[in-house]
Amino acid sequence: RGDGYFGEEITANIRTLRTVPLTADFASAGITRVELRGEALIRKDRFEKINERRMEEGEVLFANPRNAATGGLRMKDPADTARRGIEAFFYQIAYFEGQPTDENMINSHYARIKLLGDLGFKVPGQGIKKCKSIGEVVDFCAEWEAKRETYGYEIDGMVIKVDRVDFQETLGSTSHHPRWAIAYKFKAKQATSTLEEVQYQVGKIGTITPVAKITPTQLAGVTISSISLHNEDFITGKDIRLGDQVLIERAGDVIPYIVKSFPELRNGTEEEIKFPVDCPVCDTPLVREESEAAWRCPNINCDAQVLQRIIYHVSKDAMDIDGLGKALVQTFFEKGWLRNVSHVYNLDFDQIKTLEGFGEKSVQNLRASIDKARSNSLRRILTSLSIHHLGKKASSLIAAEIGSLWDLIDWDIEDYMKIKDIGPVVARNMHDFFSVSENVAMLKKMEEYGVDMSQKEEDKPIRVAED
């Protein structure tokens, strides 16, 4: 903006972090309108003080600065966001209008970042360099890997970018990332611990996931006690046993991972991990498809699966029902108020008012979120059903071809295969789902409770206008 301040204009979109007086404005640089891209960060020393205050107030401590910043941006009250001490760092001028006074800025990514810094925005500063050769890039990355702990913010790598903007435009982007930038990740931090126990979790489609319980261990500022072992092949391939000393790391400084065990440290008390043959929740014999690494519980009425399907159904990636989070779904499930997905749309709000922490306002907000979800797109409805291998893209492709969800009851596998990019696995799984009368009955109940099963405008394929 040209008035020397940043923040007020975007309060509704990203919860204003703070209003920062700038040393200059874009108008003086010849820019009349600009779109910036950046990230929210919390300094390590600020993060420690936040956790000290939370400990004094008896609140749960944050695991790391990344989680604290991410959660802060999702808070409804901007004042709560501001208390996190979040700072906005900008790394790209994505778009601008006007005639820049510095002509070099037109075609130089580096010059654009330098301009942002000159204007008073927070930019990487010492962590950025325009390199003249790939050797210089390698040396700069190695330098920062060696001194990463001295930096005021948690970092897990460097991003190497093409400087010339016209080259960036020529290289373009995939649906996931720009082709003109690549991340160099630092070597993950590692520690050792003892594998004490393996527990087995049941997912929304019945997948059995073994979870290692290790002696709580500090790693990269986080206490780790649980780590996914993925599947039986992962355990046998790494020869992991109960009682083993294991090497752990955090992939990308985020996800804990067992790198290997130390067979040479075994004393004879270690035990082989025996994968269950029956579901740990409903005792149904497990099955494993030839093409898959995971064992699955085939009982769609398994309580664990039903609960996980409801949790996913209301999640942001599916029906996006704000206020109905995992913990609340679990509470409603245990009370018998939610026994399948359709019950989400038939909750007794008078009963909910009797729960501790629920007032009139919070109940009204939950009711409004559920009412809003009743009008969701067909794509969201399909995605929310936890059909194996059916993701957002496939859901969108199918939703674009039908007038209502009920059209799919009469579809056979070949009908799905006629849609570009829908393969035989998704086609078979979709057909199987709509062939089960219990699933159709659940969908009918959803419609009875007000969920609109018709195609929405956003589901329709984009039509190219003819001249």
Side-chain angles (χ1 to χ4, degrees), residues 228-297:
S228 173
L229 291 173
H230 304 290
N231 52 56
E232 185 181 29
D233 292 348
F234 182 90
I235 295 171
T236 55
K238 291 185 179 290
D239 187 24
I240 300 172
R241 302 183 185 184
L242 291 172
D244 266 348
Q245 291 292 301
V246 291
L247 180 67
I248 63 175
E249 69 179 29
R250 294 179 66 205
D253 283 351
V254 179
I255 304 171
Y257 176 82
I258 290 183
V259 179
K260 65 174 183 176
S261 61
F262 293 98
E264 65 274 17
L265 300 180
R266 289 173 181 160
N267 59 22
T269 62
E270 296 78 15
E271 301 176 20
E272 288 190 13
I273 298 171
K274 296 181 179 179
F275 210 87
V277 295
D278 297 325
C279 175
V281 175
C282 69
D283 293 327
T284 301
L286 302 180
V287 297
R288 178 175 176 176
E289 301 288 340
E290 288 185 12
S291 60
E292 298 182 353
W295 286 91
R296 295 174 56 222
C297 170

Side-chain angles (χ1 to χ4, degrees), residues 43-183:
R43 285 185 61 89
K44 290 188 287 189
D45 55 355
R46 173 66 178 167
F47 174 73
E48 290 174 2
K49 291 178 181 178
I50 292 172
N51 264 350
E52 287 174 4
R53 187 186 71 236
R54 292 179 71 85
M55 181 178 291
E56 291 172 358
E57 296 174 353
E59 298 179 341
V60 176
L61 302 186
F62 293 124
N64 52 57
R66 183 195 301 258
N67 289 358
T70 301
L73 290 179
R74 293 174 178 167
M75 301 181 78
K76 295 181 178 180
D77 185 351
D80 291 334
T81 300
R83 281 192 287 271
R84 296 280 175 98
I86 300 173
E87 299 173 76
F89 270 75
F90 293 89
Y91 56 79
Q92 185 180 1
I93 292 181
Y95 169 83
F96 69 83
E97 293 176 358
Q99 294 296 323
T101 53
D102 178 3
E103 292 186 5
N104 183 46
M105 199 203 78
I106 297 175
N107 204 34
S108 171
H109 183 79
Y110 179 79
R112 292 182 178 191
I113 294 179
K114 186 176 183 303
L115 172 68
L116 290 179
D118 292 342
L119 289 175
F121 288 95
K122 288 183 179 293
V123 296
Q126 59 178 316
I128 184 174
K129 181 180 181 180
K130 186 174 179 179
C131 300
K132 297 179 180 179
S133 68
I134 193 62
E136 198 173 335
V137 170
V138 172
D139 291 343
F140 190 60
C141 289
E143 174 191 340
W144 270 96
E145 184 161 19
K147 65 180 185 182
R148 63 187 292 196
E149 296 300 336
T150 66
Y151 195 50
Y153 304 85
E154 290 281 1
I155 55 174
D156 63 358
M158 309 288 283
V159 179
I160 303 158
K161 302 178 180 178
V162 173
D163 182 54
R164 283 183 52 169
V165 177
D166 56 344
F167 285 177
Q168 292 180 5
E169 293 171 350
T170 299
L171 289 166
S173 303
T174 69
S175 59
H176 180 263
H177 62 273
R179 294 190 179 94
W180 47 267
I182 189 169

Side-chain angles (χ1 to χ4, degrees), residues 414-449:
E414 287 70 26
D415 290 319
Y416 291 102
M417 296 282 288
K418 291 176 183 176
I419 301 175
K420 187 178 183 296
D421 294 330
I422 297 294
V425 174
V426 170
R428 184 181 68 250
N429 291 345
M430 286 291 296
H431 180 264
D432 290 348
F433 180 89
F434 282 91
S435 296
V436 176
S437 59
E438 196 171 353
N439 292 335
V440 174
M442 183 268 293
L443 293 171
K444 291 286 187 184
K445 276 294 182 184
M446 285 176 61
E447 185 176 54
E448 182 182 322
Y449 297 145

